[in-house]
Every structure is written in C-alpha cells, then in structure tokens.
Amino acid sequence: MATNQQFTEKAREAVLAGQQITEEKKLAQYEPEALLYGLVEQSDGVVPQILQRLGVSPAELAPEITQLLDRAPKLQYSADAVVSSGLRRALQTAEAEARQFGDEYISAEHLLLGILSVERSPAEALLRRYNVSKDRVLGALSEIRGNQRVTDPNPEGKYQALVMYGRDLTAYAEQGRLDPVIGR
C-alpha cells in the first residue's frame, strides 16, 4: 500500500480530513465515506471541480455524506478506529490508477476513482445516485487535467493554469469588453 510520501498535498489533506472526521464522530472504522468527505470539502481541490463539471454540487453532496457517517457503527469504548477493508481497497485502486496514468504521486482524483471502485459501499452508491461514474470522472478529468502527469506533490496548481491566470482576449473582444487598439 502507498506510503505518505506517495500522496500529493491535496490527497494527504483529504486522507487526514477523513481520519479527523472519523475520530470526531467516534466511528469504529475509517470508511471510504470519510475519505469522500475529505475530498468534497476541499474547496480548491480537483474533486469539487470534477463534480461541478458533472453537474453535482459539492455543497449539496457534503450533508449527504455526513448523514452516511452518522449512520456508521460507532466505538463503544476508547479506542482508535481501524481502516476498513473498503478504504484499503480504495487506496489500492487509487495507487493502481496513478500507475495507469503514469503519475508519480497519488492525487485526489485517483482517490475518487478508488472510492468509485468499492462496489456496494455507501459512498459508491451515493456517487452512483448522482450519476458519478468512473467513465464520467475520467472525461471530466481529461478536460481539467489534459495530458498533464502528476510529477510533484502539488500538481493541482498547474491544472488549467491558463484559465486561472490568463484572460481570453477573444472572448472579451466578442463581448465588447476590450478598448479599441488603434495605432499602438
């Protein structure tokens, strides 16, 4: 299984956020639902961007994930939660997806694909209800990421760099938002 150094910063943050919600809710196991919660709550992460491209509001999805977590088995005594077999499978699939992409690090999108691979889990069922499938995620991911590979711990800052830091002058001109350029 992947080590902490093999995760991007956003993936590591999501894993830690999932672990934290598991501890806060005193859950018996760290489940894929907790990891999904950590991914969806990253306002500047790639998973909310993917969900929005698929027509799913992360703000709408988060309370439903919380409800799933509230229904999960709780610890009856003071102990640490264990990693569930479903989450272990999701992490293994995420690692395999990263290799298949030719990526050097496991990123948040790989974790989402890993969660989708855990059939009959509450997280996978919730995503399926919102029509989020592996094929649709891969399609949205190709629009966001293009053919870029994950070669460093912070790849999300490089996705759609032109959109984030540039201006589409052609669109501005079509909208009449550019000053005329005469004799310059």
Side-chain angles (χ1 to χ4, degrees), residues 83-105:
V83 174
S84 71
S85 61
L87 182 62
R88 193 178 323 277
R89 195 167 46 248
L91 293 173
Q92 290 168 344
T93 302
E95 187 174 9
E97 290 288 345
R99 272 197 309 271
Q100 191 171 355
F101 275 98
D103 294 335
E104 296 174 21
Y105 291 85

Side-chain angles (χ1 to χ4, degrees), residues 12-41:
R12 199 172 307 133
E13 285 174 19
V15 169
L16 290 174
Q19 184 177 358
Q20 185 176 1
I21 192 99
T22 298
E23 291 171 3
E24 285 173 10
K25 293 192 173 285
K26 298 183 181 3
L27 301 179
Q29 295 187 54
Y30 183 179
E31 298 282 355
E33 297 77 43
L35 178 57
L36 181 60
Y37 181 84
L39 291 169
V40 169
E41 285 295 304

Side-chain angles (χ1 to χ4, degrees), residues 88-165:
R88 193 178 323 277
R89 195 167 46 248
L91 293 173
Q92 290 168 344
T93 302
E95 187 174 9
E97 290 288 345
R99 272 197 309 271
Q100 191 171 355
F101 275 98
D103 294 335
E104 296 174 21
Y105 291 85
I106 299 168
S107 187
E109 61 265 26
H110 303 129
L111 294 175
L112 179 62
L113 291 168
I115 291 168
L116 283 167
S117 75
V118 184
E119 295 176 357
R120 294 184 296 279
S121 75
E124 186 265 343
L126 176 64
L127 290 169
R128 191 178 50 226
R129 197 171 77 224
Y130 277 93
N131 200 21
V132 177
S133 66
K134 180 178 179 178
D135 291 338
R136 291 191 71 214
V137 167
L138 290 173
L141 189 56
S142 70
E143 292 174 18
I144 293 171
R145 188 171 140 167
N147 60 359
Q148 290 179 313
R149 291 180 47 233
V150 179
T151 57
D152 63 77
N154 192 11
E156 291 85 0
K158 296 178 182 80
Y159 296 163
Q160 295 187 315
L162 278 175
V163 174
M164 289 180 1
Y165 302 114

Side-chain angles (χ1 to χ4, degrees), residues 25 27 33-34 36 61-74 121-127 129:
K25 293 192 173 285
L27 301 179
E33 297 77 43
L36 181 60
L61 193 60
E64 292 197 46
I65 299 169
T66 303
Q67 288 176 356
L68 291 176
L69 293 171
D70 289 340
R71 289 191 294 253
K74 308 276 189 272
S121 75
E124 186 265 343
L126 176 64
L127 290 169
R129 197 171 77 224

